[in-house]
Amino acid sequence: MAHSRRPTDDTPPPALYAMVQPGLEPVVADEIVRDLKGEVKKSSRGVVVFRLDDVTPDVLKLRTAEDVFLLAWGSDTLTYRPNDLQNFRTWTSSRPDWQRLFRIHHAVRPKTKGRPTYRLVCQMQGEHGYKRYDARDALAHGLGKKIPPGWVPADENAWVEFWLTIRGKTAVCGLRLSDRTMRHRTYKTEHVIASLRPTVAAAMVRLAGPSPGMVVLDPMCGAGTILAETIELSKRRRAGMVTVIGGDIDPNAVFVTTENLHAVGPAHLARWDARALPLATACVDRIVSNPPFGKQLLTPTQVGPLYQSAAKEWDRVLKPGGRAVFVVAEQEELDAAVKPFGWTASRRLRVRVLGQPAVVSVWQKPGAAVQ
């Protein structure tokens, strides 16, 4: 086997890519640029390719990404025909400097005790002229003797994971740097029905843009995911904490939130009806929330009246110039609910929540911001 030329010290690190919830690519790109000082090279549905000056464990601190990988190769010119499989084999065997990728991977993810283990993962979306297991076999063939002797295959919890992800005419292959805790979070030990995905909650908090000293409210807090991500973002920026307030009509939700926030940070929690908040007028700077969806917790006919009643309280407690971020499936109902108050939408991102189409929307209340 031919040996790869060892890169010199001034050779730029290889590119990375983040797998993201489709629709959140701009938010993930912003986090990469602002928090990691990285350079985004390309974005496509569900994927953000980027570069860093140095690949360190800090890349695992991304809050809005589902997974992060070292890029071995990528293509957006798949033919959907079986000859793609030969390309997978060729690209895998000839394009990457696997030894270099292994060294960087091991620096970020040091090996635990026991024999080194590896796993091959193939994901495929869309209709192609071959099956997922065919693509996985092509990946395995391309790796050939690239996998060091002594490594043993594992079905799960492997030290090194080779991933091939195929979506339509696009394919990316790489070494996984993250694990399931990146997207699932260790703090989330308790759950409620229709609990929000942490990466979506983190994206919503970033869109809200809470600053030190602000008060952030989630009036329908569920499992407390939005509140947790607000606290985590505040701690990361180290410029001063925000005050976090949350509540829910369901006493079990308040209990679950209390449990989930135990290891995260302080929050003011209460059981309440979001249509009659026990809060002073104009007392919060940001509202970030995931109101119930019609197909999840309510019937479609109940959504409109709930949003209308809740919107009166949202407008009452939000300061002039304040910002609100929501994720809902029934966007028309939300638009109608906030329209009487003159709120304007500055951004809308189409996502999927629990497999259902939804919209993350950012709203501004009229008036000068009160600091």
Side-chain angles (χ1 to χ4, degrees):
M1 180 178 67
H3 294 283
S4 299
R5 181 172 57 88
R6 186 180 182 91
T8 60
D9 291 341
D10 59 354
T11 302
L16 303 100
Y17 65 95
M19 303 299 294
V20 310
Q21 283 288 301
L24 296 183
E25 297 86 3
V27 187
V28 177
D30 177 75
E31 184 180 11
I32 289 168
V33 172
R34 289 189 58 185
D35 292 16
L36 296 182
K37 310 305 179 187
E39 180 185 7
V40 173
K41 306 300 293 186
K42 185 176 182 179
S43 291
S44 59
R45 188 73 171 169
V47 179
V48 177
V49 180
F50 63 101
R51 286 188 178 276
L52 300 175
D53 290 338
D54 188 21
V55 181
T56 71
D58 282 348
V59 73
L60 302 180
K61 296 179 181 179
L62 288 172
R63 306 292 295 185
T64 58
E66 299 282 308
D67 269 306
V68 176
F69 301 80
L70 288 168
L71 179 65
W73 58 261
S75 174
D76 56 6
T77 60
L78 300 189
T79 66
Y80 297 86
R81 296 191 294 271
N83 61 299
D84 286 340
L85 300 175
Q86 179 55 49
N87 285 332
F88 296 160
R89 290 189 286 268
T90 301
W91 295 337
T92 302
S93 64
S94 62
R95 287 191 179 182
D97 181 347
W98 285 110
Q99 294 305 313
R100 187 185 188 207
L101 294 181
F102 290 155
R103 287 194 297 272
I104 296 172
H105 172 277
H106 302 347
V108 174
R109 295 285 305 274
K111 189 180 78 65
T112 55
K113 294 181 179 179
R115 298 184 66 183
T117 57
Y118 71 93
R119 179 184 178 214
L120 274 58
V121 178
C122 182
Q123 297 179 329
M124 191 164 71
Q125 296 179 5
E127 294 295 327
H128 296 77
Y130 43 89
K131 302 297 184 182
R132 182 169 60 88
Y133 60 79
D134 295 323
R136 185 185 180 279
D137 288 346
L139 174 65
H141 186 277
L143 286 168
K145 297 181 180 179
K146 306 294 183 180
I147 298 175
W151 288 17
V152 295
D155 292 332
E156 58 183 19
N157 298 323
W159 175 41
V160 178
E161 292 186 352
F162 302 84
W163 281 52
L164 172 59
T165 302
I166 303 166
R167 292 177 175 172
K169 67 177 182 178
T170 299
V172 287
C173 176
L175 287 181
R176 189 186 191 196
L177 294 178
S178 52
D179 61 21
R180 65 185 304 274
T181 60
M182 171 168 270
R183 60 181 183 274
H184 291 299
R185 309 292 201 257
T186 55
Y187 69 74
K188 201 164 184 180
T189 59
E190 303 291 337
H191 300 266
V192 298
I193 296 174
S195 181
L196 188 63
R197 199 173 186 91
T199 51
V200 178
M204 294 173 64
V205 172
R206 291 188 71 89
L207 290 168
S211 299
M214 284 188 172
V215 178
V216 180
L217 167 69
D218 183 353
M220 301 174 178
C221 67
T225 313
I226 288 173
L227 301 177
E229 293 302 322
T230 302
I231 296 170
E232 291 289 357
L233 180 63
S234 179
K235 289 192 296 186
R236 175 181 295 190
R237 292 184 172 172
R238 299 177 183 175
M241 293 292 289
V242 300
T243 299
V244 175
I245 303 175
D248 203 285
I249 197 170
D250 180 3
N252 180 62
V254 178
F255 169 77
V256 167
T257 296
T258 302
E259 292 296 302
N260 286 337
L261 295 186
H262 180 72
V264 179
H268 302 279
L269 304 175
R271 183 190 177 190
W272 60 37
D273 187 333
R275 295 166 293 188
L277 294 171
L279 299 173
T281 298
C283 67
V284 303
D285 301 276
R286 299 288 187 266
I287 298 175
V288 188
S289 193
N290 171 30
F293 288 16
K295 294 181 181 179
Q296 293 174 327
L297 300 178
L298 302 170
T299 66
T301 57
Q302 292 176 304
V303 172
L306 172 64
Y307 288 5
Q308 290 168 19
S309 297
K312 295 177 183 178
E313 286 294 271
W314 299 338
D315 185 69
R316 183 182 67 81
V317 301
L318 187 63
K319 294 178 181 179
R323 188 180 304 165
V325 181
F326 301 102
V327 58
V328 298
E330 295 83 359
Q331 185 63 42
E332 297 82 3
E333 299 289 356
L334 179 64
D335 291 347
V338 300
K339 183 178 179 181
F341 308 107
W343 290 17
T344 56
S346 60
R347 199 165 187 182
R348 298 177 194 264
L349 301 174
R350 297 193 178 276
V351 297
R352 295 189 73 85
V353 176
L354 298 176
Q356 183 176 348
V359 177
V360 174
S361 54
V362 182
W363 299 85
Q364 198 79 21
K365 180 177 177 178
V370 178
Q371 299 293 335

